[in-house]
Amino acid sequence: MPTSPPTLADVAERAGVSRQTVSNAVNNPGLLREDTLVRVQDAIAELGYLPNRAARNLRTRASHLIGLRINPVQEGTANALMDRFVHSLVETSGAVGYHVMLFAGDGENPLAGYDGLLRSTTVDAFVVTDTYLGNPQTAWLAGRRAPFVAFGRPWDDPSAAHPWVDVDGAAGAEMATVHLIDKGHQRIAWIGWRKDSFIGEDRRSGWTRAMHAHGLSTTALACRVEDTVSSGGEASAKLLDEAAPTAFVCASDTLAMGVLHTLYLRGLAPGRDIAVIGFDDSQVAQVVHPGLSSVRQPLEELAVEVVRALEGLLGHPPHVGPGVLLAPTLELRASG
Amino acid sequence: MPTSPPTLADVAERAGVSRQTVSNAVNNPGLLREDTLVRVQDAIAELGYLPNRAARNLRTRASHLIGLRINPVQEGTANALMDRFVHSLVETSGAVGYHVMLFAGDGENPLAGYDGLLRSTTVDAFVVTDTYLGNPQTAWLAGRRAPFVAFGRPWDDPSAAHPWVDVDGAAGAEMATVHLIDKGHQRIAWIGWRKDSFIGEDRRSGWTRAMHAHGLSTTALACRVEDTVSSGGEASAKLLDEAAPTAFVCASDTLAMGVLHTLYLRGLAPGRDIAVIGFDDSQVAQVVHPGLSSVRQPLEELAVEVVRALEGLLGHPPHVGPGVLLAPTLELRASG
DNA sequence: TTGAAAGCGCTAACAC
DNA sequence: GTGTTAGCGCTTTCAA
């Protein structure tokens, strides 16, 4: 920068008022007389004044920064929620004066990073996303009375008092299954994650619910595997051999890609011979031939709710609303 | 938070020294006598002291924040560089005491956001990524003497004096083409972007170079289209009809997915009948059947160079090194 | 409605 | 080596 930016004092001098009056013009314009306000605002505009963040942060004991820990990209999977979520969060929080600051998780210790940022008052609050890991952060943060909003329900502790926002995975799987039933399918298989995944079991319950509600049996039509393409491929091959399903609903697009792979090897056409629906509406689902139908999480809407919760948390007095559960949508393409 | 965190004064009192000595213990430990240092460090540890960021920022006139503008996710494409790059950047910059702060671009005005963050001294520097747009930011930032590092060469102004880091797209396309030539292909087609894309033309030149170096003709084997799956599909269909290529090198994985689509429709097996190589090594390339070979950008290494440049820029005195051009790698899968 | 005084927590400069 | 003084730019009393 050529020279240091103008300060409150510069504006005050130019407008012929005191520094406090300028501060009021910025933060409580209602307090000023009309003509004074105009004069100060003119001076602000002429000088291109903007309050110094560090000074304001020091004084108000707030950084207007939201901390978000990001994990390494999972190569070889179709997982790409974060990209969309992060962007939505940045947009939404920016609109109410907050910025998103990223920090890295080291995988080993999920708490790493949180503590330091809190103690150094670098961030005002956190958005915690990887609540599926068994969730030590949320408990720890809650114990520390640190403000945070979780993307993900407190599965293991329904009485948890922190604000959260989540997507109704069961409703998503149910929607996909009902759609297939409406198209005439009766033997609809489920390929999901291992039983220790709350999210996986939740999604699976939507499939079960839809099947049973329509008087259809789920026996031998489900399996639980690792979230990899090859697992999805093997699971679908086995199911095709042993249970002859006409459709698959999967807990992820990654698994669904495995199913498409198996169909391809067997000369079966997705959508025509066998229907396939994935989960998350990843870029992969969008560009793969012939198009993979998928349950799409409303991440934009979710970010709005997260920011709303954040505002409550950081308000005076702080306010914690009830958890918010959003309904996903079904993106239909040629596969289902 | 239950109570406000300890300050320098708290530590000083506990260690029986002055505040300045504690500050020195943190920032210039070499200045202290051994036993004093130990005493202060003990007090720091006992209290869990960490310097208050806002105060330090105010005093040192630095925020230790790097601004990164992110754009909306491009749905329907395979573009996913940012996710990997952002993570690498966060990790690398975190290691040297910087955090990455995100802000949103509004698409309309590419300068929006930059100015305010600069004037409010919210960030120390920027990392500018979307230099392909015609690049108004870099020129504007340079004119404003704002510290920034570009991911992307100053295509339109080779004399630009700002630090930049880029990936050698021509080398990537060349590598892919040479690989195909080594496998015996002679009629290798190029599907690239429209001519106004510097990056696209750069990558294309690698294909041309490899072909000519091996005495192969490029006539009628290239086309330039929009970066969409359907464009890639149509272009490859036309090329197959009119020029009978045995292999395709594409400027993006998105285009390559279009090629795979065409091959599928014609009953041609990728890799066996027709080879296909994409660009960027997206998740799509990794999970699609039967595996899409792709040129992979070394984003981790790139982030390291970006941070190195940033450190130079923010050092005393500031130092601007020459631009850095990194070589991509070739990820081979069944398609090529 | 406006201004004066104080201080957020820290570090740079200097005196001891 | 260590302590003292001053001040970064802002907002929050409180007085005028």
Side-chain angles (χ1 to χ4, degrees), chain A residues 117-135:
Chain A
L117 294 174
L118 232 33
R119 293 210 323 258
S120 59
T121 63
T122 300
V123 302
D124 290 346
F126 294 101
V127 172
V128 178
T129 59
D130 42 5
T131 56
Y132 51 85
L133 292 172
N135 222 339

Side-chain angles (χ1 to χ4, degrees), chain A residues 143-146, chain B residues 1-4:
Chain A
R144 203 135 162 20
R145 299 182 166 287
Chain B
M1 294 248 264
T3 172
S4 55

Side-chain angles (χ1 to χ4, degrees), chain A residues 169-186:
Chain A
E174 183 176 21
M175 195 182 315
T177 309
V178 168
H179 165 77
L180 293 169
I181 293 171
D182 287 347
K183 287 185 73 173
H185 291 275
Q186 303 215 344

